[in-house]
């Protein structure tokens, strides 16, 4: 499995990160263990989760994904040194005071995550959402303490725009605090405007690693969804409805054309496109079946030509 350097973190990760948001939501613990076993066997050693996953599912309260990963690590003690764990803090956990990026909440939340993950360190700890009520120096100062204590090894931010990321870097440099080393933006062949341009340029210029989420547009880029009636195929169905338009269908058609050239699936082409984008270290993608993980193997080995990338870019422009 080819590895890439993740910004300035010192971490080496595969060109695809597994999204653990499905654990405790669309897959139960037994199936999650099977997926994690298969990932490790195939060399996919980077796993992304968050404290809030999967609070949105009926009967859940958050922490389900971290708990399942922790139970798997406990059952496979040798796996911890092989796996690069990402988790996040800042999303609303549904109780007073349990959200945001204050030093107080970060100090508590990291202990909660470590306990659920059954580990004594987190490889990469993300600020999940911007927090307008907390100054950057307070948040980065809290991370500095965790880095020095060895509880986390690197820090990143999700969902920051170019202005916010730039300001955080200025504050870090001015006050001698750790910088965000990785960005996790929403980015895929359909959703491009929030990353391409100033934000992408900033990450390249500052050598900030990029791991993208919604890499397959909630599954739309698989080509399975052609009409409203298809949305019932997935628990993410209502989130896919917004893609059912002429531009979305043009992108899927372009994906299918390129996929036919390589005798692969549209989703594999969509992931390969991301892997070849400037500044992108790796897309995040989730799976509910072992067949999906075999598909990831194809995606990371797929090399798209300049003409194929141009055709995909044109369809999604």
């Amino acid at each position: 499995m080819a590895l890439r350097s993740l910004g300035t973190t010192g971490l080496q990760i595969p060109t695809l990160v597994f999204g653990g948001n499905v654990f405790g939501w669309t897959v139960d613990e037994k199936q999650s263990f099977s997926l994690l076993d298969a990932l490790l066997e195939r060399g996919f050693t980077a796993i992304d989760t968050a404290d809030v996953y999967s609070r949105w599912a009926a009967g859940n309260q958050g922490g389900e994904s971290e708990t399942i990963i922790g139970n798997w690590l406990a059952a496979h003690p040798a796996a911890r040194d092989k796996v690069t764990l990402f988790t996040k803090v800042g999303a609303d956990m549904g109780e007073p005071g349990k959200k945001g990026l204050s030093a107080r909440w970060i100090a508590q939340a990291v202990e909660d995550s470590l306990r659920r993950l059954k580990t004594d360190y987190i490889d990469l700890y993300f600020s999940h959402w911007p927090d307008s009520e907390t100054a950057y120096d307070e948040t980065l100062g809290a991370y500095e303490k965790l880095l020095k204590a060895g509880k986390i090894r690197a820090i990143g931010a999700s969902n920051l725009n170019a202005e916010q990321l730039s300001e955080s870097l200025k504050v870090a440099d001015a006050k001698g605090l750790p910088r965000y080393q990785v960005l996790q933006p929403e980015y895929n062949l359909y959703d491009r405007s929030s990353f391409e341009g100033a934000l992408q340029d900033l990450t390249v210029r500052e050598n900030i690693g990029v791991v993208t989420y919604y890499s397959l547009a909630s599954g739309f880029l698989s080509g399975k969804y052609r009409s409203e009636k298809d949305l019932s195929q997935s628990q993410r169905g209502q989130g896919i409805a917004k893609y059912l338009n002429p531009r979305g269908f043009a992108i899927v058609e372009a994906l299918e054309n390129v996929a036919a050239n390589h005798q692969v699936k549209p989703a594999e082409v969509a992931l390969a496109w991301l892997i070849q984008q400037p500044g992108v270290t790796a897309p995040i993608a989730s799976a509910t079946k072992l067949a999906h993980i075999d598909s990831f193997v194809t995606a990371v080995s797929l090399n798209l030509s300049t003409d194929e990338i141009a055709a995909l870019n044109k369809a999604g422009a």
Side-chain angles (χ1 to χ4, degrees):
M1 180 69 65
L3 301 177
R4 285 180 175 175
S5 296
L6 184 57
T8 59
T9 64
L11 300 171
Q12 297 282 318
I13 64 167
T15 53
L16 187 142
V17 174
F18 184 78
N21 60 318
V22 293
F23 297 152
W25 175 29
T26 51
V27 290
D28 62 15
E29 182 166 294
K30 181 180 179 182
Q31 180 65 0
S32 298
F33 277 32
S34 295
L35 293 170
L36 287 163
D37 290 343
L39 287 163
L40 203 58
E41 287 167 5
R42 290 159 178 78
F44 294 109
T45 52
I47 301 168
D48 175 81
T49 186
D51 56 2
V52 77
Y53 297 167
S54 48
R55 180 175 169 251
W56 55 83
N60 285 1
Q61 56 186 350
E64 290 79 13
S65 175
E66 288 184 332
T67 297
I68 287 173
I69 293 168
N71 290 343
W72 177 76
L73 287 172
H76 302 78
R80 182 63 190 96
D81 290 340
K82 301 174 185 176
V83 168
T84 304
L85 276 182
F86 305 172
T87 194
K88 310 179 193 74
V89 59
D92 189 349
M93 295 294 286
E95 295 180 36
K98 292 191 172 186
K99 69 174 182 178
L101 300 173
S102 69
R104 176 202 59 78
W105 173 232
I106 288 172
Q108 180 182 339
V110 74
E111 297 298 338
D112 293 344
S113 288
L114 288 168
R115 184 185 68 255
R116 288 189 292 259
L117 290 164
K118 294 182 170 61
T119 185
D120 55 3
Y121 69 96
I122 292 161
D123 295 288
L124 176 56
Y125 202 37
F126 282 96
S127 296
H128 203 158
W129 296 96
D131 178 4
S132 61
E133 297 180 5
T134 304
Y136 289 118
D137 58 349
E138 178 178 344
T139 299
L140 298 175
Y143 290 147
E144 182 178 44
K145 291 178 181 178
L146 297 180
L147 288 162
K148 286 181 177 178
K151 293 183 179 182
I152 63 176
R153 294 189 168 179
I155 60 171
S158 185
N159 299 298
L160 294 187
N161 61 30
E163 182 180 352
Q164 291 165 329
L165 181 56
S166 179
E167 182 61 24
S168 79
L169 298 176
K170 289 177 184 175
V171 170
D173 292 346
K175 303 203 172 185
L177 293 168
R179 295 171 134 227
Y180 286 128
Q181 299 160 286
V182 184
L183 178 71
Q184 187 172 140
E186 178 179 4
Y187 186 46
N188 57 60
L189 196 47
Y190 187 104
D191 299 298
R192 293 167 58 179
S193 60
S194 64
F195 179 64
E196 291 182 357
L199 185 55
Q200 186 175 30
D201 293 344
L202 177 60
T203 60
V204 171
R205 187 167 64 248
E206 299 290 340
N207 191 21
I208 292 169
V210 175
V211 290
T212 64
Y213 75 90
Y214 284 170
S215 302
L216 292 175
S218 299
F220 172 73
L221 298 177
S222 69
K224 292 190 300 184
Y225 303 93
R226 303 307 180 102
S227 67
E228 294 281 344
K229 63 180 175 59
D230 292 331
L231 301 182
S232 62
Q233 295 180 54
S234 171
Q235 293 190 45
R236 294 180 171 188
Q238 292 312 306
I240 297 169
K242 64 183 179 180
Y243 299 115
L244 301 178
N245 57 53
R247 177 169 171 262
F249 295 136
I251 292 170
V252 170
E253 182 180 358
L255 284 169
E256 289 176 334
N257 290 339
V258 175
N261 292 343
H262 293 271
Q263 295 184 305
V264 298
K265 298 171 183 174
E268 294 159 0
V269 175
L271 292 171
W273 177 86
L274 276 169
I275 290 167
Q276 291 181 233
Q277 292 308 295
V280 172
T281 312
I284 298 168
S286 56
T288 57
K289 302 174 184 175
L290 296 179
H292 295 159
I293 296 174
D294 290 330
S295 191
F296 296 162
V297 175
T298 300
V300 300
S301 62
L302 186 58
N303 189 38
L304 304 179
S305 71
T306 302
D307 288 346
E308 288 170 333
I309 290 175
L312 293 167
N313 287 345
K314 183 179 179 181

